């Protein structure tokens, strides 16, 4: 079988699909991975199947990186959509070129690739929608993630998923131009992305853990929560940590990681850096500050207790730090949970407040801190933060979500992607490098989380959560 996988975005948007490609290749299938050229290093080479990288979306990614430092926040980001139109059309054309070369048997597409469903339709092959958050499939259990952790009641929650048609409303002209180019007829701007042309449901793969977002009882059979797609450990061997990072890690206690990834809103970057360095200094913590796309001003810190770098693979770095503070992207959240590190999310936009709410509900970190509140005065926190588990690490299952957990225990197939061997999310009481710990005390990572929050959190994990592999 030949599978065409297409995705667009930052590393967190691409890496799960590269991991899926690797798992399919190891199972003997051939894969074409259509992603920007800047992520060629993520393309795995484990057979017996083949993986071919097809460049798609590189211009659009470059424009995003150039524009972000000039923006002050999400509203500014919306104003850049016009200048992205040409690059979006180019992405559509590049995905179509990849499909014509590959002639796949199935197309797996991230919704950021607007042409994905129509490419599958034009080729006459199944199209499978995939994204690592519960965005498209309507449910009464929770609102669409773009509403953060808000709840509007069962039917109000379900109604929020009408926003899944937003791409058609915004880009209907571009979509129909593409459909015409590949020999398809026009569709309405309100066409349902969860319905195939024959009325059958579009299958959706959600690569996140059911222990993090439990599967709602009202999900249809076409919605599949698969567990996270992580690369095999051997797939990361090509990355070699720089000497200054290795030296810093070896020089003292495990540091706290702070980074906001692609949230490179350049306006305010100086203030964010000042707030971060002040928090580390006041609480006597070592820190690794990742500047990412420019959301934090780069430059060497005035102390040997802080290392400032552009970034490093989370799957390598997070296991070596005491706690993590990040923007709440789906990929960053998954990496922090996988490493078992206390997590503070500082959301900027999109689904990030949703992941912050989930982290807090799981007992894996305090309530999220809005980016605009970085550096603002905070009340003095208690010595023992009450979100830190009071016993050894354990599977977490939020009591308020017990109705979500009523589905039968899931067991992985032997053909599952590489995430199948990883344990569910665990919250660690004391920062520890390289494994879990049985110490129930509060560690340095907990103190850093508290210095950056406005209010102490009040959630402890349940001891009765389900156990499983995802």
């Amino acid at each position: 079988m030949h599978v065409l996988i297409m995705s667009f975005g930052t590393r967190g948007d691409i890496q799960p699909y590269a991991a899926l490609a690797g798992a399919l290749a190891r199972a003997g299938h051939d894969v074409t991975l259509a992603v920007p050229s800047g992520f060629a290093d993520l393309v795995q080479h484990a057979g017996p199947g083949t993986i071919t990288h097809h460049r798609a979306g590189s211009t659009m990614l470059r424009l995003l990186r150039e524009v972000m430092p000039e923006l002050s926040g999400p509203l500014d980001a919306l104003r850049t959509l016009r200048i992205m139109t040409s690059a979006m059309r180019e992405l559509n054309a590049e995905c179509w070129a990849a499909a014509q070369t590959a002639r796949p048997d199935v197309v797996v597409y991230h919704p950021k690739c607007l042409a994905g469903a129509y490419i599958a339709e034009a080729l006459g092959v199944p199209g499978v929608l995939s994204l690592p958050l519960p965005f498209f499939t309507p449910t009464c259990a929770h609102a669409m993630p773009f509403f953060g952790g808000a709840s509007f009641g069962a039917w109000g929650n379900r109604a929020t998923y009408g926003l899944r048609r937003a791409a058609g409303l915004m880009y209907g002209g571009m979509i129909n131009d593409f459909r015409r180019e590949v020999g398809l007829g026009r569709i309405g701007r309100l066409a349902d992305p969860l319905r195939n042309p024959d009325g059958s449901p579009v299958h959706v793969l959600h690569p996140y853990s059911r222990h993090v977002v439990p599967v709602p009882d009202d999900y249809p059979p076409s919605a599949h929560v698969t567990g996270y797609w992580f690369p095999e450990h051997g797939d990361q061997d090509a990355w070699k940590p720089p000497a200054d990072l290795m030296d810093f890690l070896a020089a003292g206690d495990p540091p706290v990681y702070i980074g906001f990834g692609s949230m490179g809103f350049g306006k305010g970057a100086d203030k964010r850096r000042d707030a971060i360095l002040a928090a580390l200094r006041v609480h006597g913590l070592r820190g690794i500050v990742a500047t990412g796309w420019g959301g934090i001003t780069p430059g060497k810190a005035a102390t040997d207790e802080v290392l400032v770098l552009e970034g490093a693979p989370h799957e390598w770095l997070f296991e070596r730090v005491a706690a993590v503070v990040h923007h709440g992207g789906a990929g960053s959240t998954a990496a922090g949970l996988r490493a078992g590190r206390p997590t503070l999310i500082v959301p900027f936009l999109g689904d990030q407040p949703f992941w912050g709410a989930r982290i807090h509900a799981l007992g894996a970190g305090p309530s999220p801190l809005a980016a605009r509140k970085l550096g603002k005065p905070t009340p003095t926190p208690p010595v023992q933060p009450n979100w830190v588990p009071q016993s050894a690490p354990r599977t977490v299952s939020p009591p308020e979500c017990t109705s979500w957990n009523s589905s039968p225990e899931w067991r992985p197939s032997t053909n599952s992607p590489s995430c199948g061997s990883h344990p569910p999310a665990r919250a660690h009481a004391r920062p520890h490098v390289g494994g879990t710990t049985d110490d129930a005390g509060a560690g340095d990572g907990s103190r850093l989380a508290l210095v950056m929050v406005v209010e102490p959190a009040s959630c402890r994990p349940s001891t009765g959560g389900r156990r499983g592999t995802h």
Side-chain angles (χ1 to χ4, degrees):
M1 179 174 68
H2 195 128
V3 183
L4 170 60
I5 301 174
M6 56 183 73
S7 183
F8 175 78
T10 62
R11 187 182 184 94
D13 297 304
I14 306 300
Q15 184 164 288
Y17 298 91
L20 175 63
L24 289 168
R26 285 188 289 274
H29 304 292
D30 296 323
V31 182
T32 295
L33 185 62
V35 297
S37 56
F39 300 111
D41 63 306
L42 296 178
V43 178
Q44 305 161 15
H45 302 287
T50 62
I51 303 177
T52 302
H53 174 221
H54 189 102
R55 177 184 177 275
S58 299
T59 299
M60 188 167 171
L61 187 65
R62 177 180 56 79
L63 285 175
L64 283 174
R65 295 202 65 161
E66 290 175 354
V67 167
M68 289 293 279
E70 303 303 320
L71 306 179
S72 60
L75 291 179
D76 266 5
L78 290 174
R79 299 187 186 106
T80 68
L81 291 177
R82 290 182 183 176
I83 69 173
M84 296 297 172
T85 300
S86 175
M88 292 174 71
R89 292 181 182 275
E90 180 180 292
L91 170 62
N92 292 340
E94 290 169 339
C95 288
W96 177 237
Q100 290 179 301
T101 300
R103 308 307 299 181
D105 300 296
V106 63
V107 176
V108 179
Y109 58 96
H110 191 290
K112 288 181 181 178
C113 297
L114 291 178
Y118 315 119
I119 287 173
E121 181 183 351
L123 295 177
V125 301
V128 180
L129 177 64
S130 177
L131 74 167
L133 62 148
F135 182 84
F136 275 84
T137 307
T139 177
C140 296
H142 54 79
M144 180 176 274
F146 280 15
F147 290 91
S151 177
F152 305 102
W155 295 110
N157 288 341
R158 194 173 184 88
T160 63
Y161 289 84
L163 289 177
R164 70 182 182 273
R165 304 173 192 261
L169 285 170
M170 295 172 64
Y171 304 113
M174 183 186 302
I175 288 171
N176 278 316
D177 287 346
F178 178 80
R179 288 179 61 87
R180 183 180 64 254
E181 291 166 6
V182 299
L184 299 174
R186 293 177 61 83
I187 59 172
R189 287 179 179 265
L190 290 176
D192 190 348
L194 293 181
R195 289 289 167 187
N196 288 308
D198 63 1
S200 62
V202 172
H203 282 264
V204 183
L205 303 180
H206 292 296
Y208 56 76
S209 171
R210 65 180 56 213
H211 297 277
V212 178
V213 184
V215 182
D217 292 338
D218 57 352
Y219 259 21
S222 55
H224 311 275
V225 178
T226 66
Y228 288 114
W229 297 339
F230 292 120
E232 290 286 301
H233 288 295
D235 296 331
Q236 301 301 318
D237 289 345
W239 188 82
K240 301 299 181 185
D244 59 345
L245 175 57
M246 293 299 294
D247 291 344
F248 181 80
L249 291 169
D253 292 335
V256 173
Y257 168 89
I258 306 172
F260 303 135
S262 60
M263 297 296 101
F265 299 117
K267 296 178 181 178
D270 289 340
K271 291 182 179 179
R272 292 186 203 108
R273 176 188 170 101
D274 292 344
I276 290 166
L277 295 180
L280 292 170
R281 181 179 66 255
V282 168
H283 286 264
L285 297 171
R286 305 180 77 235
I288 291 178
V289 179
T291 60
W293 283 18
I296 301 172
T297 301
K300 184 177 175 60
T303 171
D304 292 337
E305 296 300 299
V306 178
L307 177 67
V308 180
L309 44 70
E310 181 178 355
H314 291 169
E315 61 274 10
W316 184 93
L317 183 57
F318 282 9
E319 292 183 352
R320 293 165 170 82
V321 301
V324 295
V325 180
H326 58 73
H327 60 295
S332 300
T333 301
L337 288 171
R338 188 193 196 194
R341 296 304 183 255
T343 298
L344 170 64
I345 287 181
V346 181
F348 287 74
L349 50 77
D351 58 316
Q352 296 163 9
F354 173 82
W355 293 117
R358 293 306 307 145
I359 287 291
H360 179 45
L362 290 167
S367 56
L369 170 66
R372 68 181 182 278
K373 294 183 178 179
L374 281 175
K376 298 291 179 65
T378 63
T380 302
V383 175
Q384 172 65 44
N386 55 12
W387 61 268
V388 175
Q390 302 300 307
S391 62
R394 59 200 177 220
T395 303
V396 292
S397 178
E400 73 274 16
C401 299
T402 52
S403 63
W404 293 2
N405 262 331
S406 58
S407 57
E409 180 67 21
W410 183 87
R411 297 188 181 279
S413 162
T414 55
N415 294 324
S416 295
S418 60
C419 59
S421 61
H422 296 295
R426 293 172 182 266
H428 286 193
R430 181 180 294 278
H432 180 74
V433 176
T436 61
T437 175
D438 292 330
D439 192 327
D444 286 348
S446 307
R447 289 193 285 118
L448 186 277
L450 281 169
V451 73
M452 300 186 76
V453 299
V454 175
E455 297 179 357
S458 59
C459 180
R460 294 182 185 177
S462 164
T463 58
R466 293 168 180 256
R467 298 188 67 84
T469 57
H470 285 64

